[in-house]
């Protein structure tokens, strides 16, 4: 015998709330406490309740779909951000659509026309660089993640890069390193320039700007060794891995002779490095979660304005602590 479908009233009864409150909790709308929302979601999960997406859309005038618009074709930054976005949106039964513009303005405009025509509820805009970007022009709630909008009235969530770089230097000072060099990416990249500027006063020589690559890390190591550093701070994990490789080739041990720090906490690089890297984690999933929360608030008619800066986190490993 076929089991009857679970209804909203069943979820409401188990949670001890009205059907209207249960509906608001599952769609992440209304003025409800977090405790009430969580209780309703637990009841829905316990009963195996699945909302009727078409019915919800017709009754609310929404599609319960949000787009993540990105210029990051490799997914290096956008995929972790998307995971954070989905953590928040899936709780309210919203679907996330990933749109890769490939850094092509025409492709971006094509996506935007399509998303507006489809009636998505809102858009999270992100990319692979941290330079502020021009805002998109759509009649929808929008939140910018990783790279802020140039319009100060827009809602943007970014990482505090300067504090992240400073945390790595504080750690190196704390383990007794006094001659610290810095190797980083292109000088015209905001992330490289901001990180270098934040720690310039603590360095034994001028920062070396180059490219985001292991090759540059190896090349720059030969240059900074002239300054006899006991630590090398790097603007990315790729650079730091190249530094470690070159130091090993030259017979220098890490961290006994020279401690090395990276930036990004990209597992492909940070954990595969020999030794594994002490590095700064951008906490991109947290960034995505905060951006999604702000977007839901904007959809509910309570938009945030301005730039919200989230902290990075230092992760210590063998490249500074030893085995």
């Amino acid at each position: 015998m076929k089991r009857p479908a679970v209804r909203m009233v069943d979820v409401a009864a188990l949670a001890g709330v009205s059907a209207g409150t249960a509906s608001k909790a599952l769609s992440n709308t209304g003025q409800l406490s977090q405790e009430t929302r969580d209780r309703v979601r637990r009841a829905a999960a316990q009963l195996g309740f699945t909302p009727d997406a078409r019915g919800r859309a017709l009754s609310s005038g929404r599609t319960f779909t949000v787009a993540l618009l990105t210029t990051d074709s490799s997914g290096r930054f956008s995929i972790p951000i998307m995971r954070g976005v989905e953590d928040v949106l899936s709780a309210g039964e919203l679907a996330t659509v990933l749109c890769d513009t490939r850094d092509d303005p025409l492709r971006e405009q094509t996506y935007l026309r399509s998303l507006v025509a489809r009636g998505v509820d809102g858009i999270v805009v992100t990319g692979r660089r941290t330079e502020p970007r021009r805002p998109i022009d759509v009649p929808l709630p929008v939140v910018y993640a990783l790279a802020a909008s140039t319009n100060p009235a827009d809602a943007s969530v970014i990482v505090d890069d300067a504090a992240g770089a400073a945390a790595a230097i504080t750690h190196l000072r704390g383990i007794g390193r006094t001659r610290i060099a810095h190797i980083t990416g292109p000088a015209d990249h905001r992330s490289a320039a901001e990180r270098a500027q934040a720690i310039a006063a603590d360095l034994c020589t001028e920062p070396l700007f180059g490219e985001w690559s292991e090759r540059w890390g190896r090349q720059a190591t030969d240059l900074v060794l002239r300054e006899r550093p006991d630590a090398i701070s790097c603007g990315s994990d790729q650079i730091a891995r190249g530094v470690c490789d070159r130091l090993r080739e030259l017979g220098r041990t890490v961290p006994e002779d020279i401690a090395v720090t990276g930036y990004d906490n990209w597992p492909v690089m940070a954990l595969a490095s020999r030794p594994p890297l002490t590095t700064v984690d951008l906490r991109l999933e947290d960034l995505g979660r905060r951006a999604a929360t702000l977007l839901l608030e904007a959809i509910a008619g309570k938009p945030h304005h301005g730039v919200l800066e989230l902290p990075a986190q230092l992760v210590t490993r063998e490249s500074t602590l030893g085995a």
Side-chain angles (χ1 to χ4, degrees), residues 236-255:
S236 78
D237 292 338
Q238 286 174 286
I239 293 172
R241 184 171 171 180
V243 168
C244 288
D245 286 348
R246 183 57 179 155
L247 288 173
R248 187 169 58 254
E249 290 171 358
L250 295 172
R252 307 291 184 93
T253 58
V254 177

Side-chain angles (χ1 to χ4, degrees), residues 139-323:
L140 299 167
V142 178
V143 174
Y144 298 83
L146 193 63
S149 167
T150 53
N151 184 346
D154 290 334
S156 302
V157 187
I158 66 174
V159 177
D160 188 346
D161 261 331
I169 297 300
T170 298
H171 169 67
L172 291 171
R173 292 286 189 193
I175 60 173
R177 306 303 166 120
T178 58
R179 294 188 59 78
I180 304 171
H182 185 63
I183 302 171
T184 191
D188 61 349
H189 281 215
R190 178 181 178 273
S191 54
E194 192 167 86
R195 295 166 193 174
Q197 182 179 6
I199 62 175
D202 293 287
L203 303 179
C204 66
T205 185
E206 291 295 315
L208 284 184
F209 293 95
E211 59 185 30
W212 302 114
S213 71
E214 293 176 69
R215 178 181 64 180
W216 167 237
R218 291 191 294 269
Q219 293 172 344
T221 298
D222 290 339
L223 300 176
V224 299
L225 286 179
R226 300 170 185 171
E227 304 298 328
R228 295 176 286 106
D230 57 12
I232 300 176
S233 158
C234 299
S236 78
D237 292 338
Q238 286 174 286
I239 293 172
R241 184 171 171 180
V243 168
C244 288
D245 286 348
R246 183 57 179 155
L247 288 173
R248 187 169 58 254
E249 290 171 358
L250 295 172
R252 307 291 184 93
T253 58
V254 177
E256 288 78 10
D257 293 331
I258 300 178
V260 178
T261 63
Y263 205 107
D264 292 337
N265 198 27
W266 185 13
V268 171
M269 290 290 162
L271 298 180
S273 176
R274 292 186 293 167
L277 295 171
T278 288
T279 183
V280 178
D281 192 330
L282 296 174
R283 299 175 64 179
L284 295 175
E285 291 191 25
D286 286 351
L287 193 78
R289 282 188 281 270
R290 186 61 64 89
T293 299
L294 292 181
L295 187 64
L296 287 177
E297 291 174 358
I299 292 170
K302 297 176 291 182
H304 174 85
H305 302 286
V307 178
L308 179 63
E309 211 167 32
L310 301 186
Q313 180 181 10
L314 183 72
V315 179
T316 55
R317 297 192 182 97
E318 289 92 325
S319 70
T320 60
L321 300 180

Side-chain angles (χ1 to χ4, degrees), residues 97-180:
V97 178
L98 178 63
C99 302
D100 175 18
T101 70
R102 302 178 191 174
D103 224 356
D104 180 348
L106 293 179
R107 191 179 181 88
E108 178 175 284
Q109 289 304 311
T110 299
Y111 268 129
L112 291 175
R113 286 193 295 269
S114 175
L115 293 171
V116 171
R118 290 171 182 269
V120 299
D121 294 332
I123 301 175
V124 174
V125 179
T126 188
R128 66 178 183 274
R129 291 180 58 174
T130 62
E131 279 75 15
R133 59 153 291 158
R134 281 182 11 178
I136 60 175
D137 184 14
V138 292
L140 299 167
V142 178
V143 174
Y144 298 83
L146 193 63
S149 167
T150 53
N151 184 346
D154 290 334
S156 302
V157 187
I158 66 174
V159 177
D160 188 346
D161 261 331
I169 297 300
T170 298
H171 169 67
L172 291 171
R173 292 286 189 193
I175 60 173
R177 306 303 166 120
T178 58
R179 294 188 59 78
I180 304 171

Side-chain angles (χ1 to χ4, degrees), residues 70 72 74-82 126-129 146 195 264 282 284:
T70 181
D72 176 28
S74 70
R76 163 69 189 92
F77 299 99
S78 59
I79 296 303
I81 290 173
M82 185 173 184
T126 188
R128 66 178 183 274
R129 291 180 58 174
L146 193 63
R195 295 166 193 174
D264 292 337
L282 296 174
L284 295 175

Side-chain angles (χ1 to χ4, degrees), residues 82-99:
M82 185 173 184
R83 284 199 295 264
V85 167
E86 289 188 325
D87 282 349
V88 172
L89 298 185
S90 63
E93 302 292 337
L94 278 76
T96 309
V97 178
L98 178 63
C99 302

